[in-house]
Amino acid sequence: MLKILVSMLFTLALSMALHAQTLIPLDEAKYLEEIHHNIEFSSNEKERLYNYLLLSEYWAQTESDKSKQALEKVQSSSQKKLLDQGVLAYYQAIHYAHQGDKKLAIQHYKTAIDAFNKNEKNQKLLVKALYNFAYLQVEDKGYDFMVKTLVDQCIPISKESGDSELLAFFYTQTGLTFMSVGQFETAEEYHLKALDELKKMPDESTSELLTYLNLVSNYCYKPDSASAKIYLDKAENIIENYPNSQHYPNYYYQEALFHTTKQNYNQALISLEKGEKLATKRKQNRMLHMLYFRKYNIHLMQKDYPKAKAQLEFILEENILGKEAVNRRITYTQLAAVNEVLNNYKEAYEWTKKSSALGDSLQQIKLLEKMKELDVLHQTTEKQQTIDLLELEKKENEHLNQSNSQRITFLAIALLLSLVIVFLIYRTYQNQKQLNNQININHQQELLHIKRQRKYEATQAILKGEEQERQRIAQDLHDSIGGMLANIRMSISKEESEYASDILEKLDKSIIEMRRISRNLMPETLKNLGLEVALKELCESMSQKQFHIQFEAFNLDQKIPFKVQLSIYRIAQESISNIIKYAQANNVIVQISQHDQLLNLTVEDDGVGFDSKKTVYGLGIKNIKNRTQLINGTVDIQSEIGKGTTINIECYV
């Protein structure tokens, strides 16, 4: 159940990852001071009005009243016609978007885009308008529409403008969009393109800070905590010089995400508390609720389900992100899952119903909007024909209505009754069919359970016998053949012969090989020194000149049952053997970690990989799965051709 919750939350996190980022300068205090100075002292009315619009944009995210006041200064001015066509509409759209009026914001962005397309001197505002216009429609038109806008319009226009910061901004926004759909490798490429472009700039910029923060998210989701730490430090080096930056809460969000990836949950909560204080103080409500959701994630990872539930209920009560139906539905689904874990089945059922109803409502809204578009198109192409037809029908109906009205009424009633009867029959049939299907499913599940139980018992007996035989052979090799070889060596060492040294050398190699075979059959290190030392010794013994095995261990308990230790050791041994035989790899990472009672083993290689949908697993993989089943664990094998293979084992100890 925890895996399901985390998977659902991962989807939620990605759906929230794409949020409108702005290019407000890093030194916001200085920027705001310049705007007020231009408003107060500029003799150019056009410049004064434009600075009011910049002021409205600055306050749009945090102080809606101040944003509205600055906008009204321009709207009420008799000189507003001095502004270039489309400029006022663009800043109106920004204001409406942050107030949650998406429909009105889209209308104004469209007006602005149409105007900017006719005037080439406002190309920078054009690309920003295109980006925001696409961002507001992601829910309806999908992420492909967003990517198409960025790649086909925003990036080419930014290149032509020669503005490196603007181009870098749209590179990292493209990366952010790919990250939102789980394409982390492609996202990384675009973020790095942004950094390459930023190298052309002599000074730090907002785009540079945003790119670093976006890279932190991308590497945390991959996950690659080492790379995430590099860019988190770079972001800190920039933002610590601007204590009043609106990006500080986002920095703490990324810091918490990094600590979560490292399973440092208490440190992550401290970072979130810092971010929440700043976001509350600066009225950054959307960012505040993203911090709340991250806190919920941590409670979930800690398995503190009551706190996780309380956090979700608080988020719904605050109703910031919940204003968007998609986020609200995901929150309902999470509440249902958490309540199910807490055995609050009634509450779980109620939240599931709300989620389902909201999903149906969203589908209906989209369907109605599509029908509306088609209807408008139809009316545009056939308007005159429809009018003529309606006029003709009107004249005919005037003659027929009087005589046919009673007959139509009776027919309608009869039809309605027939439909009701058919519906009731159909419902009865469907209910019976579902009942029969459920009975059949339950029966099949019982048979499958019995079959699996028998298979499990047989596998357990086979593997147990195999381990016993391994131990017996290892003991015999050590006690019998080992002793015999040692006696032969002692006897020969007393002889003085020209062949004695050569024979002794061969005997020494035989003894070493016999000991190696004995150790592989039943490693003494595992019994005497524990799992961590045994795995480390295994990795070192199987490493070769062109084949490097990196071993990592975290928080292993010395009290792990020997049955589990032996199974994990055999699984690692089998995995590395398979890599040597088939993977053609140069590097392997063997990582084992423990968090509370959860033990995790990961074996990852950079070999040729395989298509997991087409490959038929051999005996080695079957042995791994059987041994995992014996310790009530789970195994996950991920591989792509040319991208290596990752085997992940989890079990509770």
Side-chain angles (χ1 to χ4, degrees):
M1 179 56 68
L2 179 61
K3 280 190 175 181
I4 296 172
L5 285 167
V6 173
S7 175
M8 292 163 64
L9 189 64
F10 179 72
T11 304
L12 172 63
L14 291 184
S15 70
M16 291 167 54
L18 182 64
H19 58 279
Q21 297 178 329
T22 57
L23 278 175
I24 300 296
L26 289 171
D27 194 343
E28 294 180 29
K30 181 180 178 181
Y31 176 68
L32 197 58
E33 182 181 347
E34 288 176 356
I35 291 175
H36 284 297
H37 181 273
N38 292 336
I39 290 173
E40 187 173 355
F41 298 105
S42 178
S43 58
N44 186 321
E45 184 62 15
K46 180 179 178 180
E47 183 180 357
R48 288 183 70 253
L49 293 175
Y50 185 68
N51 276 273
Y52 270 120
L53 294 177
L54 294 178
L55 190 63
S56 174
E57 178 191 30
Y58 178 82
W59 290 118
Q61 294 187 67
T62 56
E63 298 279 352
S64 59
D65 291 339
K66 290 183 179 181
S67 175
K68 184 178 179 182
Q69 289 171 8
L71 196 58
E72 286 176 346
K73 286 281 187 182
V74 180
Q75 290 174 311
S76 61
S77 173
S78 59
Q79 303 295 315
K80 64 183 178 183
K81 291 184 179 179
L82 293 172
L83 293 168
D84 294 335
Q85 190 177 6
V87 171
L88 177 57
Y90 170 77
Y91 287 98
Q92 284 176 307
I94 291 175
H95 174 77
Y96 291 129
H98 285 290
Q99 303 319 303
D101 195 338
K102 186 163 71 172
K103 184 176 180 181
L104 199 55
I106 289 173
Q107 291 177 2
H108 281 81
Y109 275 130
K110 192 173 186 309
T111 301
I113 290 168
D114 291 339
F116 294 152
N117 279 325
K118 298 174 184 177
N119 186 354
E120 292 186 358
K121 70 178 182 180
N122 278 317
Q123 294 298 286
K124 292 183 181 180
L125 289 184
L126 170 61
V127 289
K128 291 180 181 179
L130 288 166
Y131 163 72
N132 291 329
F133 179 73
Y135 165 76
L136 289 175
Q137 298 183 84
V138 165
E139 183 180 336
D140 299 322
K141 295 190 176 181
Y143 287 97
D144 54 340
F145 174 71
M146 183 75 173
V147 171
K148 184 174 177 60
T149 300
L150 285 163
V151 173
D152 292 350
Q153 298 183 77
C154 295
I155 291 176
I157 295 172
S158 298
K159 283 182 179 178
E160 291 178 6
S161 72
D163 189 328
S164 293
E165 183 179 12
L166 193 64
L167 179 56
F169 174 77
F170 288 118
Y171 273 140
T172 194
Q173 293 308 305
T174 306
L176 192 62
T177 308
F178 278 109
M179 187 180 74
S180 298
V181 293
Q183 298 295 316
F184 303 119
E185 299 297 335
T186 306
E188 181 182 359
E189 292 175 9
Y190 276 96
H191 291 317
L192 295 178
K193 282 184 179 180
L195 291 184
D196 288 339
E197 193 64 26
L198 289 165
K199 290 177 183 177
K200 301 176 183 178
M201 299 181 60
D203 300 320
E204 296 172 341
S205 67
T206 304
S207 288
E208 184 177 4
L209 175 61
L210 291 175
T211 303
Y212 289 152
L213 294 175
N214 293 339
L215 275 165
V216 173
S217 288
N218 197 67
Y219 283 123
C220 284
Y221 285 128
K222 284 185 75 171
D224 181 355
S225 57
S227 298
K229 185 65 168 66
I230 293 171
Y231 291 101
L232 187 65
D233 291 342
K234 289 178 180 289
E236 183 182 18
N237 291 337
I238 293 177
I239 203 168
E240 66 184 359
N241 299 318
Y242 307 98
N244 296 318
S245 172
Q246 62 176 263
H247 300 294
Y248 238 117
N250 188 17
Y251 167 78
Y252 283 124
Y253 179 91
Q254 304 303 334
E255 189 179 66
L257 186 61
F258 167 74
H259 287 310
T260 304
T261 306
K262 298 287 288 182
Q263 298 183 1
N264 297 328
Y265 300 124
N266 292 331
Q267 191 62 46
L269 289 172
I270 292 171
S271 298
L272 290 175
E273 291 291 340
K274 292 178 182 178
E276 287 174 10
K277 287 181 181 179
L278 288 177
T280 302
K281 179 181 177 182
R282 296 167 186 174
K283 300 180 181 179
Q284 293 175 263
N285 291 328
R286 183 176 179 85
M287 177 53 66
L288 178 62
H289 276 250
M290 289 178 67
L291 292 163
Y292 287 159
F293 264 112
R294 177 53 50 192
K295 183 179 285 186
Y296 161 65
N297 174 39
I298 293 172
H299 292 324
L300 203 61
M301 299 300 292
Q302 292 177 318
K303 298 183 183 178
D304 192 342
Y305 301 120
K307 280 189 179 180
K309 177 187 174 186
Q311 186 71 19
L312 283 175
E313 290 171 345
F314 174 72
I315 290 168
L316 277 182
E317 184 180 347
E318 289 290 299
N319 195 30
I320 300 298
L321 292 174
K323 290 178 181 177
E324 297 177 14
V326 173
N327 289 337
R328 193 162 64 253
R329 186 189 178 199
I330 293 172
T331 308
Y332 289 163
T333 305
Q334 290 285 301
L335 271 167
V338 171
N339 275 288
E340 185 179 351
V341 173
L342 291 170
N343 297 325
N344 299 332
Y345 298 113
K346 184 176 180 181
E347 285 188 53
Y349 174 71
E350 292 299 325
W351 287 117
T352 302
K353 281 204 307 183
K354 286 186 178 182
S355 174
S356 179
L358 187 57
D360 293 340
S361 175
L362 288 170
Q363 290 297 324
Q364 186 176 8
I365 289 170
K366 291 182 179 179
L367 179 60
L368 288 173
E369 288 177 352
K370 186 64 178 177
M371 290 174 65
K372 204 180 214 180
E373 290 178 11
L374 294 172
D375 187 50
V376 170
L377 181 62
H378 176 73
Q379 289 181 22
T380 302
T381 56
E382 299 184 359
K383 184 177 180 181
Q384 190 58 47
Q385 182 180 356
T386 304
I387 292 172
D388 294 339
L389 183 60
L390 289 173
E391 286 293 332
L392 180 61
E393 288 179 352
K394 182 180 177 182
K395 291 178 182 178
E396 292 176 352
N397 287 336
E398 286 176 356
H399 297 290
L400 296 173
N401 276 344
Q402 235 175 8
S403 59
N404 291 338
S405 59
Q406 191 173 9
R407 188 192 315 168
I408 291 171
T409 302
F410 285 127
L411 288 173
I413 293 171
L415 180 60
L416 181 61
L417 289 172
S418 300
L419 289 173
V420 170
I421 293 169
V422 169
F423 176 74
L424 291 174
I425 293 172
Y426 176 74
R427 283 297 299 273
T428 303
Y429 167 74
Q430 285 292 96
N431 289 338
Q432 187 60 43
K433 184 178 179 181
Q434 288 178 0
L435 180 60
N436 292 338
N437 286 340
Q438 188 60 48
I439 292 171
N440 185 50
I441 289 170
N442 292 339
H443 179 66
Q444 293 297 327
Q445 287 178 342
E446 288 178 6
L447 291 176
L448 183 61
H449 175 72
I450 293 170
K451 182 178 179 181
R452 286 177 176 171
Q453 185 64 27
R454 290 177 178 172
K455 183 178 179 181
Y456 171 78
E457 291 171 356
T459 302
Q460 187 177 32
I462 290 169
L463 291 178
K464 184 177 180 181
E466 179 184 318
E467 288 299 335
Q468 290 175 346
E469 188 64 14
R470 281 173 177 262
Q471 187 170 1
R472 186 189 67 77
I473 295 171
Q475 192 66 40
D476 288 349
L477 283 172
H478 183 273
D479 296 344
S480 178
I481 297 178
M484 291 171 65
L485 289 173
N487 285 333
I488 293 170
R489 190 188 188 288
M490 288 179 62
S491 299
I492 294 175
S493 64
K494 295 177 182 179
E495 299 290 333
E496 292 184 4
S497 170
E498 59 178 312
Y499 302 110
S501 60
D502 185 47
I503 294 172
L504 284 174
E505 183 180 349
K506 291 179 180 178
L507 274 173
D508 287 340
K509 289 181 180 180
S510 299
I511 292 170
I512 291 170
E513 180 64 17
M514 182 273 295
R515 288 175 178 172
R516 184 189 67 79
I517 294 170
S518 177
R519 186 170 58 250
N520 282 341
L521 287 169
M522 181 51 63
E524 291 297 320
T525 306
L526 182 64
K527 292 194 293 184
N528 299 329
L529 300 179
L531 181 59
E532 182 175 341
V533 177
L535 284 177
K536 183 177 180 182
E537 184 181 88
L538 174 67
C539 293
E540 290 174 351
S541 67
M542 298 187 80
S543 291
Q544 301 171 18
K545 185 176 181 181
Q546 300 298 324
F547 180 71
H548 175 67
I549 303 177
Q550 177 181 337
F551 175 70
E552 299 175 355
F554 304 98
N555 304 324
L556 282 191
D557 194 339
Q558 296 298 320
K559 298 180 181 180
I560 298 173
F562 185 75
K563 174 185 174 182
V564 176
Q565 293 188 48
L566 181 59
S567 293
I568 292 294
Y569 182 88
R570 293 299 185 205
I571 290 168
Q573 189 178 42
E574 187 69 51
S575 299
I576 297 172
S577 296
N578 282 347
I579 293 169
I580 293 172
K581 290 177 184 177
Y582 309 115
Q584 301 176 31
N586 295 319
N587 296 284
V588 177
I589 297 176
V590 178
Q591 184 183 86
I592 185 165
S593 62
Q594 185 176 352
H595 178 70
D596 293 336
Q597 300 302 313
L598 181 63
L599 186 66
N600 180 280
L601 171 69
T602 300
V603 182
E604 181 178 352
D605 68 73
D606 62 354
V608 296
F610 58 86
D611 188 342
S612 57
K613 295 179 180 178
K614 297 180 180 179
T615 300
V616 177
Y617 292 133
L619 183 60
I621 296 297
K622 289 179 181 178
N623 282 339
I624 290 172
K625 291 185 175 181
N626 288 336
R627 290 187 182 277
T628 304
Q629 187 179 14
L630 284 178
I631 56 175
N632 296 321
T634 60
V635 58
D636 179 35
I637 302 173
Q638 297 180 359
S639 183
E640 288 185 41
I641 294 176
K643 296 187 177 181
T645 302
T646 300
I647 298 176
N648 189 65
I649 309 295
E650 286 187 355
C651 70
Y652 285 92
V653 297

